[in-house]
Amino acid sequence: ATLIATLIAILKRILYNKVNFIQFMFFQTDVILIFVVYDKICPAIRRLLMIKSDFHMHSNFSGDCKAALDHMVHGAVARGMDTICFTDHNDPSFPYPCEEEIGMFDLDTDRYMDCLLQTADLYKDKITIRRGVEIGIQTHIYKELNDYVQKYPFDFVIGSSHLCLRMDPYYPAFWEGRSLKDGLNVYFEDIRQNVHSYNNYDVYGHLDYIVRY
């Protein structure tokens, strides 16, 4: 266990570029283990351990992101990624707290899908780009979500709970009259109901959404 921990520590130092050359000796009983890590193998280690794909990405098609598709793709290519999937938000029946925010989570899906298709073709020699979506699941819109997901050829669908009882835990109104424990219980009970009653998605997104607030 000590040896493994030590190796992990060394790899972390290498990956964070804190050293270029390490010579480490580990003694245990009569066995001497000598590890010599040269700078030339650091890139190979990085390639081995790096994330090669990301299937939860937003662009300025989502109201909570300002990054253009091209900007996101350039970043992924620069990091040596093989595949990315854009999953911009579509939250039907979202209770916007003010007039200025109305529609920020209503995805212009037709234009979004067309732009992704063009972007995927433009960068096809550098990276694979998939077309996905992140839908906001609520108990009263299951049929609407089903119809929406079936209408478009999504490669990947994230189902997420951004709302609970038609309220966003981000705002104080959700917590009024609720203790921390009560709020968490209500939120996760809502997710449990969604998981049992709705299944037209590939993965349930960030179950810890409420914990952020």
Side-chain angles (χ1 to χ4, degrees):
T2 303
L3 175 58
I4 294 175
T6 304
L7 287 174
I8 291 175
I10 290 175
L11 287 176
K12 284 183 177 180
R13 293 183 65 192
I14 296 170
L15 294 176
Y16 286 103
N17 291 314
K18 292 184 178 179
V19 294
N20 292 323
F21 174 88
I22 296 175
Q23 181 170 332
F24 173 74
M25 302 182 67
F26 180 85
F27 299 88
Q28 185 175 14
T29 62
D30 296 328
V31 179
I32 299 178
L33 301 177
I34 302 177
F35 298 93
V36 181
V37 181
Y38 289 95
D39 184 60
K40 64 180 180 180
I41 73 169
C42 291
I45 295 175
R46 292 192 187 98
R47 287 194 296 271
L48 180 64
L49 299 180
M50 73 181 295
I51 295 174
K52 303 297 289 182
S53 62
D54 189 343
F55 274 58
H56 191 161
M57 297 179 63
H58 300 313
S59 71
N60 55 7
F61 274 93
S62 291
D64 59 350
C65 182
K66 296 182 180 180
L69 289 175
D70 284 351
H71 177 78
M72 300 291 286
V73 174
H74 286 160
V77 171
R79 289 165 175 78
M81 302 182 78
D82 295 330
T83 306
I84 57 174
C85 181
F86 285 94
T87 53
D88 279 293
H89 286 288
N90 189 43
D91 277 76
S93 190
F94 194 94
Y96 297 101
C98 59
E99 186 175 343
E100 291 77 11
E101 295 184 3
I102 292 177
M104 67 182 296
F105 295 127
D106 295 334
L107 182 62
D108 184 353
T109 311
D110 291 322
R111 189 168 70 89
Y112 169 70
M113 296 293 276
D114 287 344
C115 286
L116 282 179
L117 202 61
Q118 295 172 19
T119 304
D121 184 64
L122 183 64
Y123 292 94
K124 62 184 178 182
D125 295 329
K126 296 181 178 180
I127 193 170
T128 299
I129 300 174
R130 301 297 186 191
R131 299 185 295 172
V133 68
E134 181 176 1
I135 55 174
I137 302 177
Q138 298 186 68
T139 57
H140 65 289
I141 58 171
Y142 289 157
K143 184 181 185 306
E144 180 179 352
L145 292 176
N146 264 327
D147 293 342
Y148 173 75
V149 171
Q150 291 171 5
K151 180 179 178 180
Y152 296 96
F154 295 116
D155 296 308
F156 190 70
V157 177
I158 301 174
S160 296
S161 287
H162 301 120
L163 301 169
C164 177
L165 304 179
R166 307 192 187 192
M167 291 186 289
D168 190 340
Y170 177 81
Y171 296 102
F174 174 81
W175 298 98
E176 290 179 4
R178 290 191 177 95
S179 66
L180 175 60
K181 181 179 179 180
D182 291 339
L184 293 173
N185 283 340
V186 169
Y187 178 79
F188 286 112
E189 181 61 30
D190 191 69
I191 289 181
R192 188 185 69 82
Q193 181 175 343
N194 288 335
V195 169
H196 283 290
S197 304
Y198 183 80
N199 61 8
N200 205 354
Y201 56 89
D202 295 297
V203 65
Y204 213 103
H206 46 61
L207 295 175
D208 64 343
Y209 175 77
I210 192 172
V211 178
R212 305 176 190 177
Y213 314 116

